[in-house]
Amino acid sequence: GGPSRRFPAAESRGRPDEEASVRFSDVIASALTQIRANKLRSFFTLLGVIVSVTFLVAVVAIIQGMNAYVRENIAGAIIGANSFQIRRTPINFARFSDDEWRRAQRRPKIGPRDADLITAAIPDADAVSLQSGWPTPQADVSWGNRTLGDALIFGVTAAYQVVQDYRIGMGRPLTDIDVAERRPVIVVGAQVAATLFDGVDPIGRDVRIMGERYTIVGVNASKGRVLGQSFDGFVLMPITRFEMLYGRRNTTTISVKMTNATDVAPAMRRAEEALRVSRRLRPTQENDFSIETSDALVEFWKTLTRVLFAVLPAVVAIGIVVGGIVIMNIMLMSVTERTHEIGIRKAVGARSQDIQRQFLAEAIVLATLGGLIGVLWGWALASLVAQFSPLPARVTGWSVGVALALGSVVGIVFGVYPARRAARLDPIASLRAD
């Protein structure tokens, strides 16, 4: 019953130059028609692929965003732009074996004498500072009946403010005289001033830290927030005064700031040479100190994210395989349902390879569509994470390309068997099917 349909496979005989292009467009159109005719079934068929691709795009976006954020914001904020640090132990200690770590703990401490040595070795440096190391102590800062809890307390020399590119919003910075005379003066971050002195000029006010009084001489301009945490809840005090309060730290660090990024590497070599000579290290002996730029911090972070990248393929692969199996089963069901249609197509001239190409194209289009939807969902999820959480997210072109390629590969791998089964159906038996 009904008008007969004319198939390109029969119409295009005798036109070999047009056959491939006509058949390709008709195959894709037919595949899309099948998907539109079974929207709900197609959606649930693709759910495994969609979820896997969404997870892939969103997680990679968050990891890449974090990598960029650490590189562009956190690393520079901790070490400083165009700067390097001289430490007793390296930032990236995760790569150390237990023996290496024990040897690192026996290294001599970094102190004022080393800072003076570096200053003499690098006279063209913008600034050479000495600051208390990790872990940074925290303390309550109180004024009157107001208290800011867990402010970060840094002991620094005056040059530290230059290394970190701090800008004074009110008052003055710390000076070398403050450090030399162990003065009980501090420079506070914008959050400390805003919390304790809302509407009041904080300059010249005395606050209490660890039971001692300190006079605020300056307030730094706001540095903003990093991953949802304020970078303005800190107190800078002369390192000499800091050591009176907390003792000398095992992790005291020297920071050196150069005018240009190209000056950093030569300055690091000069600093290394000066320290090796000062410590009388032989050419065969390894350094008993570490010299690092912000790249070391970035590399340390990337080491942590590699764990996620190692787990990610396994999780995505499980979802993709499950989605592919579902696609294969649905395509086998489709072959069974369309047995009569296959018989008609073969009767009017369609070859086995035409039938195989048709069903394989439907599987590929179906899986690729799932990949595309997954990319859009992943992009939307990454955007929501970036907007409503402190985690940054950056969708990268390679993750989108991998996601779309995964969809096509799933269609090819899991669509071959149903397509071959459809192509092998006997036309006479197919026409008899109901």
Side-chain angles (χ1 to χ4, degrees):
S4 61
R5 180 179 175 184
R6 303 174 68 193
F7 296 96
E11 291 178 352
S12 60
R13 295 199 181 278
R15 295 180 296 164
D17 57 328
E18 298 179 13
E19 182 177 353
S21 61
V22 172
R23 281 181 177 171
F24 178 77
S25 60
D26 186 72
V27 161
I28 298 300
S30 178
L32 293 174
T33 300
Q34 289 295 326
I35 293 172
R36 284 197 299 269
N38 302 278
K39 296 183 181 67
L40 188 61
R41 187 176 74 177
S42 298
F43 173 76
F44 283 108
T45 301
L46 297 177
L47 195 56
V49 176
I50 292 173
V51 171
S52 299
V53 171
T54 300
F55 178 79
L56 171 67
V57 173
V59 172
V60 170
I62 293 172
I63 293 175
Q64 294 294 89
M66 289 289 293
N67 286 342
Y69 202 86
V70 169
R71 182 174 59 253
E72 297 168 6
N73 297 85
I74 299 179
I78 292 176
I79 293 184
N82 300 337
S83 301
F84 64 91
Q85 290 186 337
I86 300 167
R87 297 171 169 270
R88 184 186 182 207
T89 56
I91 295 175
N92 196 0
F93 58 82
R95 292 184 175 181
F96 272 28
S97 66
D98 290 342
D99 289 340
E100 289 173 329
W101 178 246
R102 282 192 289 270
R103 286 200 301 272
Q105 291 300 302
R106 293 195 293 269
R107 291 177 174 181
K109 297 179 181 180
I110 300 292
R113 179 177 175 277
D114 297 307
D116 293 339
L117 187 70
I118 298 301
T119 301
I122 314 175
D124 54 328
D126 284 355
V128 177
S129 71
L130 192 67
Q131 68 263 19
S132 55
W134 299 90
T136 302
Q138 295 177 299
D140 293 344
V141 182
S142 303
W143 179 71
N145 60 356
R146 299 181 184 179
T147 299
L148 174 67
D150 297 331
L152 297 172
I153 311 298
F154 293 96
V156 301
T157 57
Y160 178 78
Q161 298 159 110
V162 178
V163 172
Q164 294 296 321
D165 299 314
Y166 283 135
R167 293 181 296 106
I168 291 294
M170 302 173 63
R172 66 168 178 85
L174 296 177
T175 65
D176 291 331
I177 296 177
D178 294 330
V179 176
E181 296 184 357
R182 298 184 174 86
R183 290 179 177 177
V185 295
I186 57 174
V187 171
V188 299
Q191 181 187 355
V192 178
T195 302
L196 299 181
F197 303 97
D198 186 20
V200 178
D201 184 359
I203 304 303
R205 308 282 180 178
D206 290 342
V207 296
R208 293 186 304 278
I209 301 175
M210 300 285 288
E212 296 190 11
R213 289 186 175 274
Y214 292 85
T215 302
I216 297 176
V217 296
V219 177
N220 275 335
S222 177
K223 280 267 190 178
R225 304 181 73 84
V226 175
L227 300 180
Q229 299 297 317
S230 173
F231 246 39
D232 297 315
F234 63 85
V235 171
L236 302 180
M237 65 173 60
I239 191 169
T240 47
R241 193 76 189 188
F242 175 94
E243 291 177 349
M244 291 174 62
L245 196 60
Y246 293 101
R248 186 179 176 188
R249 311 290 279 184
N250 291 330
T251 54
T252 302
T253 302
I254 297 172
S255 292
V256 181
K257 182 179 182 62
M258 306 302 295
T259 304
N260 301 306
T262 54
D263 299 330
V264 172
M268 290 174 67
R269 289 192 292 270
R270 279 185 282 164
E272 180 180 14
E273 181 182 359
L275 284 176
R276 287 186 63 86
V277 170
S278 173
R279 297 184 177 195
R280 299 179 181 178
L281 295 176
R282 297 175 181 176
T284 56
Q285 289 180 291
E286 64 179 12
N287 291 339
D288 57 2
F289 54 89
S290 296
I291 300 183
E292 297 174 328
T293 64
S294 58
D295 293 340
L297 186 59
V298 173
E299 184 60 31
F300 179 54
W301 169 257
K302 287 183 177 180
T303 300
L304 300 180
T305 58
R306 286 190 193 106
V307 176
L308 293 177
F309 273 120
V311 174
L312 183 63
V315 176
V316 173
I318 293 172
I320 288 292
V321 169
V322 171
I325 292 173
V326 173
I327 290 175
M328 183 173 66
N329 288 334
I330 294 298
M331 292 303 298
L332 287 171
M333 185 189 305
S334 178
V335 170
T336 302
E337 292 175 350
R338 296 161 63 186
T339 299
H340 193 73
E341 174 193 333
I342 294 169
I344 294 175
R345 290 195 174 196
K346 284 193 171 185
V348 298
R351 297 168 297 179
S352 294
Q353 66 182 28
D354 297 323
I355 301 298
Q356 180 174 327
R357 185 181 300 139
Q358 175 66 53
F359 279 87
L360 184 58
E362 287 184 16
I364 294 173
V365 169
L366 200 62
T368 303
L369 184 61
L372 182 59
I373 295 173
V375 167
L376 296 177
W377 283 16
W379 200 310
L381 179 59
S383 300
L384 289 175
V385 168
Q387 183 173 356
F388 296 105
S389 80
L391 295 175
R394 295 187 182 184
V395 177
T396 56
W398 70 264
S399 65
V400 172
V402 168
L404 294 177
L406 275 177
S408 300
V409 169
V410 166
I412 294 172
V413 171
F414 292 94
V416 167
Y417 176 68
R420 287 182 176 177
R421 184 170 176 177
R424 291 172 182 171
L425 289 177
D426 182 80
I428 304 300
S430 301
L431 286 171
R432 289 175 180 171
D434 294 330

